[in-house]
Amino acid sequence: PDSAHQAHFDAAIAADRRIEPRDWMPEGYRKTLVRQVSQHAHSEIIGMQPEGDWIASAPSLRRKAILLAKVQDEAGHGLYLYAAAETLGVDRADLTQRLVDGRQKYSSIFNYPSLTFADVGVIGWLVDGAAICNQVPLCRSSFGPYARAMVRICKEESFHQRQGYELLMRMMEGTEGQRAMVQDAVDRWWWPSLMMFGPPDDESPNTARSMAWGIKRNTNDELRQKFVDMTVPQADKLGVTLPDPELVWNDERGHYDFGDPDWNEFKQVVSGAGPCNAERIARRRAAHEKGAWVREAAAAHARKHNTEEAA
Ligand code: ACO
């Protein structure tokens, strides 16, 4: 009976044991995970676009090789995450369809344009830095397949963050024009990076429930603070200014105080009206349609193989 199952599940969560796909789980827990893991997978896949645009025009072979490896890693992350979502009884093809139909979300951050090569560095430093802050605690998420996928993803994200920071260090040692490019990219990506962590806690409908289930381990505001505290000294070392006049060390709190992102802009971007939403989805849809013959051929091959084996 469900009550015995529920008690077993509650005890597992209370003892901080992992929930595995074959274990009984409440429907709300399953639904929340499908929502978060599939949004996360979609973000990795859509996230290939802003940087992928620069592969063909990277300024050197070394930068091209690094960027290519990085963008391929993002594809891999998407695939592990779709696989983790499938253990919850959903189908990857259906999730992709929901994404291209605009029925499922992906991270707001990937709806901003990457205007110069400095954006590649800043995406690595700030966007992947924020992703690490958010994802390291998810390695302890209560759902086994999600937590295990996060371990590998976080290792690769650390490489992404370092390559971004190293690229920016180099540019800052360059010409006045290069330094101005870096500062301009920082000015454009700082606030959207803070928005990646989601709405403030008192406006986040899912946080309390997800924390009680051990799906999330920290609130959105906790992680945003951690990210700011981690990033300010890195900005100083780099020699850039973060575009927030309210950013100041607070001795009493032992943290930096900082200003509020423009939450109206966040709502707009999440609802589909950001600078690049239409372009990102159109491109994803086109790639999906172009790949239809590959999926059909693979399915035909599998059918043929199965018939031969049965004969
Ligand atoms: N972009 C788009 N949508 C967002 C964002 C964001 N930055 N932040 C929150 N939302 C959405 C939520 O998905 C939720 O929508 P839904 O209920 O319709 O699904 C709504 O806004 C309310 O937010 P919360 O209640 O705070 O939602 P949640 O508890 O899921 O927290 C968070 C949001 C922090 C993003 C969480 O889902 C999470 O940690 N996800 C895993 C990390 C991830 O997806 N990273 C992707 C970007 S990093 C990368 O790919 C490099």
Side-chain angles (χ1 to χ4, degrees), residues 268-288:
Q268 278 216 314
V269 173
V270 173
S271 67
C276 302
N277 295 60
E279 178 189 331
R280 301 289 185 239
I281 288 294
R283 198 144 160 209
R284 181 70 195 93
R285 188 184 299 117
H288 185 59

Side-chain angles (χ1 to χ4, degrees), residues 27-310:
E27 194 47 27
Y29 178 84
R30 197 186 70 84
K31 274 206 175 125
T32 297
L33 274 162
V34 168
R35 179 182 64 78
Q36 179 166 328
V37 178
S38 54
Q39 284 177 6
H40 195 165
H42 296 329
S43 305
E44 301 282 356
I45 298 294
I46 297 280
M48 295 165 75
Q49 291 187 35
E51 289 183 284
D53 283 343
W54 283 99
I55 292 173
S57 37
S60 68
L61 181 60
R62 179 168 173 266
R63 290 294 168 198
K64 194 191 283 263
I66 295 171
L67 187 54
L68 202 56
K70 197 214 138 164
V71 172
Q72 281 177 343
D73 284 351
E74 308 293 359
H77 298 174
L79 299 185
Y80 317 143
L81 287 165
Y82 284 127
E86 285 190 324
T87 69
L88 292 158
V90 290
D91 178 49
R92 175 185 315 215
D94 180 48
L95 297 178
T96 301
Q97 198 58 50
R98 285 198 242 171
L99 170 69
V100 300
D101 291 346
R103 286 183 287 135
Q104 266 189 339
K105 296 191 168 91
Y106 59 91
S107 182
S108 51
I109 193 73
F110 301 118
N111 294 304
Y112 293 87
S114 50
L115 301 180
T116 72
F117 197 70
D119 290 40
V120 170
V122 171
I123 291 173
W125 173 40
L126 296 180
V127 175
D128 297 324
I132 294 171
C133 244
N134 166 272
Q135 290 173 20
V136 165
L138 293 174
C139 297
R140 293 182 291 108
S141 183
S142 60
F143 186 58
Y146 188 38
R148 287 187 291 272
M150 279 302 126
V151 173
R152 178 156 172 193
I153 290 177
C154 285
K155 286 187 182 157
E156 293 177 346
E157 292 293 357
S158 313
F159 150 63
H160 298 170
Q161 205 255 357
R162 295 301 284 268
Q163 68 81 34
Y165 197 68
E166 190 263 352
L167 164 53
L168 297 177
M169 289 288 247
R170 278 303 169 86
M171 287 187 79
M172 292 302 284
E173 289 161 4
T175 62
E176 211 37 65
Q178 284 174 305
R179 277 190 287 278
M181 262 167 82
V182 174
Q183 183 61 55
D184 168 63
V186 170
D187 291 345
R188 284 181 290 107
W189 288 94
W190 173 249
W191 293 109
S193 299
L194 293 188
M195 295 176 196
M196 284 175 71
F197 295 94
D201 292 351
D202 53 9
E203 286 168 38
S204 161
N206 301 300
T207 293
R209 191 60 269 184
S210 288
M211 299 261 292
W213 273 327
I215 293 174
K216 281 167 80 163
R217 294 294 182 176
N218 299 90
T219 72
N220 301 354
D221 286 333
E222 281 167 13
L223 294 174
R224 196 170 3 254
Q225 179 74 62
K226 196 169 170 206
F227 173 70
V228 172
D229 291 347
M230 179 181 100
T231 307
V232 174
Q234 296 172 354
D236 287 344
K237 182 129 192 3
L238 200 55
V240 295
T241 310
L242 297 173
D244 178 358
E246 292 176 51
L247 190 63
V248 59
W249 176 254
N250 182 327
D251 226 358
E252 226 166 84
R253 292 201 310 124
H255 292 290
Y256 284 93
D257 289 338
F258 56 100
D260 254 340
D262 178 348
W263 292 116
N264 284 328
E265 174 183 319
F266 173 75
K267 279 179 199 141
Q268 278 216 314
V269 173
V270 173
S271 67
C276 302
N277 295 60
E279 178 189 331
R280 301 289 185 239
I281 288 294
R283 198 144 160 209
R284 181 70 195 93
R285 188 184 299 117
H288 185 59
E289 285 166 5
K290 249 170 122 180
W293 71 271
V294 179
R295 293 188 295 278
E296 280 158 24
H301 180 74
R303 268 196 306 277
K304 192 174 139 201
H305 195 71
N306 289 344
T307 335
E308 275 166 10
E309 266 188 3

